Amino acid sequence: MSTAELRSALLGLEIFAGLTEDQLDWLVSVSEPRVLADGEVLFRDGEEADGFHVLLAGGLVVTKVVDGREEVLTRHSTEEESAAAEEHDGKPSAAHRFTGELPLLTDGSYVATAAASGPATTVVAYPKPVFFEMLTRCHGVAAVLIPVLAWRIKSSEVQARKRATVEALGTLAAGLAHELNNPAAAVARAAQELAPALEGLTRTAQAWGAAATGAERSVFDRLAEELDKLPPPTTTDPFAQADAEEEIADWAEEAGTERPGLLGSGISDLGLELGWLLERLEGVSEPALPAALDHLAALLEIRSLAAELRAAGPRISQLVAATRDYANLDRAPEQRFAVADGIENTLVVLRAKLAGIAIVREYEPGLPELTGYPSELNQVWTNLVDNAAEAMEGAGTLTLRVRAEGVCLVVEIADTGRGIPEDSLPRIFEPFYTTKDVGKGTGLGLHLSYRIVTQRHHGSITARSRPGETRMVVRLPLTTAAACAAPPDEPTSDSSTTR
């Protein structure tokens, strides 16, 4: 391409249309034309951004690998028909003719891959220093570039929101396929086991009645009554539960019970340990102890089967409710709702990812309801919990706290994962910024969460991190007139490792 042809081609572009003769002379002198073969890569996702690229002829296809799948984000074309087809989503015509400005302005890496589409794609490359000099020398360039930049950020956010919705629905659908089968299987199993369990309960009741004194029966009755009133455990630690089950079973076997394993699992499932059981059985003599333990094991078995039958219906209702909430993302009207319900919904959706992770709930009793958009906040909880699960890699403790604090409702999601690098922490809410490997993150999840919390709900979201502890703190106003800014002295980082 001759100098005259390059000059004419550049002058015909909207971004350079207002340049003076001197500015155009300079632009031509620093231009580096390049012809790409069909499919040839101009730049790759994750590479350090080193240039601003102007399309003179042909086309470019911009793609990104997300969770192992290559997705087409947009296409740039110099052909009017192809360009018009891409403008249905409000894409400015000028956006077809240049790319690469966003990572240069944010001093980051390319956030997607661009490759030639067509046999004779011609681009002009401007290295990073030249691009910034261009903005200084040619003021008209910024007037065209800024609206395109705003559209690209907005378009990326919209795509990320759609992708997040689809991913949430996909996760929920996979969970539903598994979880909806569980209640039916539980009903069938419980029905099958109920008859022999009732026979066992009758037999152990007779044996216990024959072996026990009146005082011992009173001890057992108090134990059974206390078990009836026990609330479900607030902390679930699978390892501690397994240790407790084994300890109770070993002791029960030495005591002479027929089904020590059943007793161990029944007591440990309630979050109880051997010491608790020994204390409640004081007053039962050694000769009567085996009969007491056999009867207790049979009683716990019946109650467990009954609980499974009672839980089957609500479990299905909960899953259906979760599906309804997620299917209405971005369409739900403003309403009054309980934040803790949305968090529990999120745990249902992400149950498979949370396998092996201990969950601690610290919900302040009597929490007031919030006015806002519950489905959008579900996106926030899903993103924060999912990030925490990834950071812990299947082992650790997830702590969920909800409390009222003045005019705000405060939600804390804490994990015991690797932590966030100290130099990354101030940037985690920026669009397109990610610490994940290429293809494993869009860099928009936390940015979208930030927008939902701050713009849609007028709240705040902050992060604190050190090795072994990362806390995301969301503050939401309880009334529309309130404001929930983060405390000015709240730190954003304590120290760092790689997350």
Side-chain angles (χ1 to χ4, degrees):
M1 178 179 287
S2 67
T3 300
E5 289 173 332
L6 177 59
R7 183 186 183 90
S8 176
L10 292 175
L11 191 58
L13 300 178
E14 183 179 347
I15 191 170
F16 299 135
L19 298 188
T20 66
E21 290 296 318
D22 289 342
Q23 291 171 337
L24 192 58
D25 288 340
W26 172 82
L27 186 66
V28 171
S29 71
V30 295
S31 297
E32 300 175 4
R34 176 183 174 189
V35 178
L36 303 176
D38 187 22
E40 185 176 350
V41 173
L42 179 60
F43 54 77
R44 294 186 184 278
D45 186 7
E47 291 179 348
E48 183 179 354
D50 58 1
F52 175 62
H53 306 278
V54 175
L55 180 63
L56 295 184
L60 293 171
V61 59
V62 182
T63 62
K64 186 174 184 65
V65 176
V66 180
D67 295 331
R69 303 186 308 274
E70 187 176 40
E71 298 183 6
V72 175
L73 301 183
T74 190
R75 297 178 187 272
H76 303 320
S77 177
T78 57
E79 298 179 7
E80 291 185 7
E81 291 184 2
S82 298
E86 286 289 320
E87 290 172 12
H88 61 85
D89 58 353
K91 182 176 182 177
S93 58
H96 283 277
R97 306 307 290 267
F98 58 84
T99 187
E101 76 287 347
L102 179 58
L104 291 180
L105 292 169
T106 58
D107 194 26
S109 303
Y110 291 116
V111 296
T113 297
S117 175
T121 295
T122 304
V123 298
V124 180
Y126 298 98
K128 187 175 182 178
V130 175
F131 171 68
F132 283 103
E133 187 176 355
M134 180 193 302
L135 295 178
T136 303
R137 282 175 172 261
C138 311
H139 297 158
V141 168
V144 177
L145 187 145
I146 290 174
V148 171
L149 185 63
W151 173 84
R152 283 183 175 151
I153 293 175
K154 180 180 178 181
S155 177
S156 297
E157 290 178 352
V158 169
Q159 288 180 344
R161 288 174 73 96
K162 290 178 179 178
R163 188 182 300 115
T165 300
V166 171
E167 288 175 355
L169 287 170
T171 301
L172 185 57
L176 281 171
H178 179 267
E179 296 295 337
L180 286 176
N181 184 56
N182 284 352
V187 170
R189 185 180 67 83
Q192 185 177 5
E193 296 180 3
L194 196 55
L198 285 170
E199 292 178 4
L201 181 63
T202 301
R203 179 175 53 81
T204 60
Q206 292 173 346
W208 168 240
T213 64
E216 289 172 331
R217 283 194 290 273
S218 296
V219 170
F220 190 94
D221 289 344
R222 285 195 296 271
L223 169 59
E225 185 178 353
E226 186 172 353
L227 288 173
D228 277 338
K229 296 178 179 178
L230 277 178
T234 56
T235 302
T236 55
D237 185 336
F239 299 106
Q241 184 175 326
D243 290 342
E245 179 179 344
E246 183 177 1
E247 185 180 18
I248 294 169
D250 289 346
W251 170 79
E253 186 175 17
E254 290 181 6
T257 184
E258 292 181 0
R259 304 172 73 184
L262 180 62
L263 182 65
S265 62
I267 294 294
S268 62
D269 283 349
L270 296 172
L272 305 174
E273 298 179 349
L274 178 59
W276 182 93
L277 181 60
L278 292 176
E279 183 179 341
R280 269 67 181 177
L281 287 172
E282 286 184 6
V284 177
S285 64
E286 187 173 343
L289 185 59
L293 297 180
D294 286 340
H295 189 43
L296 179 58
L299 188 62
L300 288 171
E301 181 182 25
I302 288 291
R303 290 180 175 176
S304 175
L305 293 173
E308 286 189 34
L309 290 171
R310 286 195 305 269
R315 192 182 308 172
I316 293 173
S317 298
Q318 182 187 29
L319 291 166
V320 171
T323 306
R324 183 191 63 238
D325 288 343
Y326 276 86
N328 282 292
L329 281 174
D330 301 325
R331 296 194 299 273
E334 189 175 26
Q335 57 188 265
R336 298 285 292 176
F337 62 96
V339 167
D341 291 347
I343 295 174
E344 288 300 310
N345 241 1
T346 299
L347 298 180
V348 173
V349 173
L350 298 178
R351 182 176 297 170
K353 288 190 176 182
L354 296 171
I357 294 174
I359 299 174
V360 178
R361 298 169 175 86
E362 297 180 7
Y363 300 159
E364 186 177 279
L367 287 168
E369 290 189 331
L370 199 70
T371 299
Y373 304 90
S375 294
E376 294 186 21
L377 283 175
N378 281 351
Q379 281 186 283
V380 176
W381 315 138
T382 299
N383 188 57
L384 298 183
V385 172
D386 186 56
N387 283 351
E390 284 190 13
M392 290 187 284
E393 298 180 322
T397 300
L398 175 69
T399 303
L400 307 166
R401 301 184 179 96
V402 186
R403 66 180 183 275
E405 193 174 274
V407 295
C408 301
L409 194 70
V410 180
V411 178
E412 287 188 17
I413 297 178
D415 68 70
T416 56
R418 298 183 299 272
I420 303 172
E422 187 173 9
D423 57 348
S424 297
L425 200 54
R427 301 189 60 190
I428 60 173
F429 298 115
E430 293 179 9
F432 308 108
Y433 185 81
T434 179
T435 59
K436 298 178 182 178
D437 294 336
V438 174
K440 293 188 177 179
T442 62
L444 285 169
L446 285 176
H447 175 65
L448 291 176
S449 297
Y450 177 85
R451 292 278 299 271
I452 290 170
V453 171
T454 61
Q455 296 188 16
R456 294 288 280 171
H457 293 86
H458 310 291
S460 67
I461 177 170
T462 57
R464 302 178 62 178
S465 187
R466 61 184 179 185
E469 181 187 22
T470 295
R471 280 197 292 160
M472 307 298 294
V473 183
V474 176
R475 290 179 170 82
L476 300 166
L478 290 170
T479 65
T480 54
C484 285
D489 59 341
E490 179 168 299
T492 56
S493 176
D494 299 317
S495 61
S496 68
T497 59
T498 301
R499 178 168 185 165

